Amino acid sequence: MREMYQNLGISDAVLDFGLKVEAELKERFDGLDEVAEYNQLKVIAAMQKHRVSAECFQSTSGYGYGDLGRDTLEEVYATCFKGEAALVRPQITCGTHALALALMSNVRPGDEILSPVGKPYDTLEEVIGIRPSKGSLAEYGVTYAQVDLLPDGEFDFDGIKKAINERTKLVTIQRSKGYASRPTLSVDRIGQLISFIKGIKPDVICMVDNCYGEFVEKKEPLEVGADMIVGSLIKNLGGGLAPIGGYIVGTKECVENAAYRLTSPGLGKEVGASLGIIQSFYQGLFMAPTVVNSALKTAIFAANIYETLGFDVVPNKTESRHDIIQAITFGTPEGLCAFCEGIQAAAPVDSYVTPEPWDMPGYDSKVIMAAGAFVQGSSIELSADGPLREPYTAFFQGGLTWYHGKLGILKSLQKLYDRNLVNNI
Ligand SMILES: *Cc1c(COP(=O)(O)O)cnc(C)c1O
C-alpha cells in the first residue's frame, strides 16, 4: 500500500500523518455508515413502490409526451423526499436554474422574498436582483428582505418577526453555508425556523435551497414543514452519474407553478423529453447515499488533518455534519492555491493540469477551482474552489469514493508540505 501511495507522490511523512488521523475516526465513520444504510433503503423502497422497470430507461425525444421514465422518476423523488410532487429534469440546467425557477414561478409582482438566514449563495444575488442583473426578480417588481443570523449563529427571531409583512410571499432558507462562513443548518434547526415563521404567517411558502445537504441526515426538510426543496443533480442526488439536471420537490401547487414556468403555461409537466439520460438519474439516485457517505468521510478526514495542523476549519473536526462542504482557511493565496493544486493532481481526469484563478460568471472576485471530473463542473466529484480574497478559504466537497477522497486530501497536504506551508508533521 505504501508503495502505491509513493507511486502517486505521497511521501512517508505525509502518509504516516494521514494514517494517524484516520485511525481516530473509526467510530465517526461507523455513524456515517448507518445514515447511508438508512438512506439507501429509503431509495430502494421508493423505487420498488413506483415499480421502476427497464421500460423506464427508454429514451424519448421531441415533445416527450407520456415519458414513463420521467414521470416515474418524479414519483420516486416525491416519495423519497416526502413531497406531494416533483420536477426532476435534464432541462433544468443547474442548481441556480432550479432555484431561479422555484422562486420566479412562485412569486408575482408586488410580492416580497425573505431570507432569514443571511445572504444567499452568490449566484442567487443576481436571480433576486441584490446585485442588479438583467431578468432578475427585482426587474419584475419582486422585492427582497434579509435578516442575518446573530453573531453566535442563532436565528434572529425578533428581526425575522419584524421583517415578515403582508407582502412576504416566500421565505428562502439555504441549508448549506455555500461560500459564507456561517454554520450549516441541520434539518431540525430548519424545522424550528419554519414553525416560527408559519406561526406568524401560515400561508408563506418556505423554500429550502437543499444543495449539498441531501442524504447527509436521515431526514430532509420537507419532513419538518418546508413547502419546497430545490437542488442540483451534479451535486449529491446525481450520485456522480447524472450529466446535468436539477430538481424541485414539494407541494403539488409549488411544483406545478415551477413546471408551468419551466416549459409553458398550459403544458407544464406534460412535455420534456428525457433524451436517453434518464437511466443515469435513476442510477445516480440509487448511488447517492453511498456517494454522500464518501464525501462526508473525506470532509471529516480533511477537517481533522488541517485543524491538527493549526488551520481554521469549518465545520471543525468534531462537529456534526449537515452538508458535505468543508471550509479550510489558509490565510494566504499560496496556501489556497497549493491545496487546490493537490486536489487536482489526485484526480482520475485532468490530473496533469494546474488550476488557475479566473473571473467566473456569477462571482464578484476571481475564483480558483480544482476539478478533475467525469462530469464537467460536477461538485459531488472531489473538487475544491475558493474566491481569491481574504481570508483565502478553500471550500471543498465531494469524492465519489472515500479512497479517492483520502488520496486527494493527502495530495493537497503533500503540496503544502513540499512548499513549506505546513510544519509540525
Ligand atoms: C451549488 C449551489 C447553488 C447553485 O448551484 P449551481 O449548480 O452551481 O448553479 C446554490 N446554492 C447552494 C447552497 C449551492 O451549494
Side-chain angles (χ1 to χ4, degrees):
M1 190 71 85
R2 190 165 286 269
E3 200 182 309
M4 295 300 286
Y5 275 110
Q6 260 164 11
N7 287 343
L8 288 161
I10 307 297
S11 68
D12 280 343
V14 166
L15 181 61
D16 288 334
F17 181 75
L19 293 179
K20 208 170 70 196
V21 168
E22 185 189 355
E24 281 165 20
L25 295 174
K26 180 146 188 349
E27 233 172 87
R28 204 72 203 281
F29 283 12
D30 287 348
L32 299 177
D33 291 346
E34 211 241 334
V35 175
E37 185 175 351
Y38 183 93
N39 285 322
Q40 184 73 76
L41 299 179
K42 201 195 283 183
V43 170
I44 293 171
M47 289 189 175
Q48 292 184 351
K49 177 175 177 199
H50 295 289
R51 305 174 66 90
V52 173
S53 65
E55 286 73 53
C56 293
F57 306 147
Q58 267 155 29
S59 182
T60 59
S61 61
Y63 294 111
Y65 289 130
D67 185 321
L68 177 73
R70 177 197 68 207
D71 295 346
T72 305
L73 180 69
E74 289 177 343
E75 288 175 355
V76 168
Y77 262 71
T79 295
C80 197
F81 298 101
K82 316 280 195 297
E84 294 168 6
L87 192 64
V88 187
R89 303 279 167 131
Q91 287 81 12
I92 301 177
T93 56
C94 63
T96 304
H97 185 188
L99 287 157
L101 184 62
L103 288 171
M104 293 180 161
S105 60
N106 280 289
V107 297
R108 296 292 179 269
D111 288 342
E112 185 158 277
I113 293 173
L114 168 68
S115 171
V117 296
K119 188 176 96 54
Y121 193 76
D122 277 34
T123 57
L124 284 190
E125 291 185 21
E126 289 180 278
V127 171
I128 294 169
I130 303 170
R131 270 187 286 145
S133 181
K134 277 216 191 317
S136 71
L137 280 160
E139 281 195 347
Y140 287 88
V142 174
T143 58
Y144 170 73
Q146 176 178 313
V147 178
D148 290 338
L149 295 177
L150 295 172
D152 61 0
E154 290 300 316
F155 300 123
D156 178 0
F157 287 113
D158 289 341
I160 295 167
K161 189 164 186 189
K162 282 193 200 107
I164 296 173
N165 59 53
E166 67 293 345
R167 292 196 302 112
T168 309
K169 178 66 186 291
L170 184 150
V171 172
T172 175
I173 300 168
Q174 187 178 306
R175 180 170 173 182
S176 163
K177 63 184 165 306
Y179 280 150
S181 55
R182 67 152 169 99
T184 286
L185 304 176
S186 68
V187 173
D188 279 338
R189 285 195 72 201
I190 290 172
Q192 285 158 14
L193 180 59
I194 292 174
S195 9
F196 178 77
I197 289 165
K198 297 231 174 194
I200 299 165
K201 191 166 188 184
D203 61 346
V204 78
I205 298 168
C206 290
M207 179 189 94
V208 175
D209 175 350
N210 211 26
C211 284
Y212 288 133
E214 303 96 340
F215 289 152
V216 171
E217 300 184 40
K218 290 180 181 170
K219 255 190 309 199
E220 298 290 337
L222 294 177
E223 296 168 63
V224 295
D227 298 290
M228 249 194 306
I229 55 172
V230 184
S232 162
L233 296 191
I234 61 168
K235 292 180 177 171
N236 301 20
L237 293 188
L241 294 175
I244 192 171
Y247 75 89
I248 300 171
V249 189
T251 64
K252 196 159 174 286
E253 166 89 12
C254 285
V255 170
E256 267 178 3
N257 283 338
Y260 287 125
R261 171 100 194 188
L262 174 67
T263 64
S264 157
L267 300 181
K269 292 178 83 175
E270 303 301 318
V271 295
S274 55
L275 302 170
I277 59 170
I278 203 81
Q279 185 184 343
S280 70
F281 286 16
Y282 281 99
Q283 208 168 349
L285 180 67
F286 176 74
M287 294 303 293
T290 49
V291 168
V292 170
N293 172 275
S294 293
L296 284 168
K297 286 178 178 168
T298 305
I300 291 169
F301 181 59
N304 278 266
I305 294 250
Y306 284 102
E307 186 177 321
T308 305
L309 292 171
F311 294 93
D312 254 352
V313 298
V314 180
N316 72 25
K317 61 186 191 177
T318 53
E319 256 173 271
S320 67
R321 298 277 158 162
H322 306 291
D323 68 9
I324 63 168
I325 300 188
Q326 181 64 47
I328 306 169
T329 294
F330 290 98
T332 62
E334 293 78 18
L336 171 59
C337 292
F339 177 83
C340 290
E341 285 175 33
I343 296 295
Q344 185 76 39
V349 181
D350 292 336
S351 61
Y352 54 87
V353 304
T354 307
E356 301 272 355
W358 64 301
D359 289 303
M360 192 184 165
Y363 295 83
D364 64 3
S365 58
K366 276 190 194 287
V367 179
I368 183 165
M369 300 201 144
F374 295 101
V375 172
Q376 288 170 30
S378 164
S379 50
I380 186 61
E381 299 186 50
L382 186 63
S383 50
D385 41 65
L388 262 277
R389 61 182 180 222
E390 292 274 358
Y392 300 101
T393 299
F395 294 84
F396 95 85
Q397 61 276 315
L400 296 184
T401 73
W402 153 236
Y403 304 117
H404 173 223
K406 178 176 167 183
L407 174 67
I409 297 309
L410 292 175
K411 195 87 187 161
S412 74
L413 179 57
Q414 188 74 50
K415 291 274 181 201
L416 277 109
Y417 182 76
D418 291 345
R419 294 174 196 177
N420 292 318
L421 296 166
V422 284
N423 31 45
N424 53 359
I425 284 189

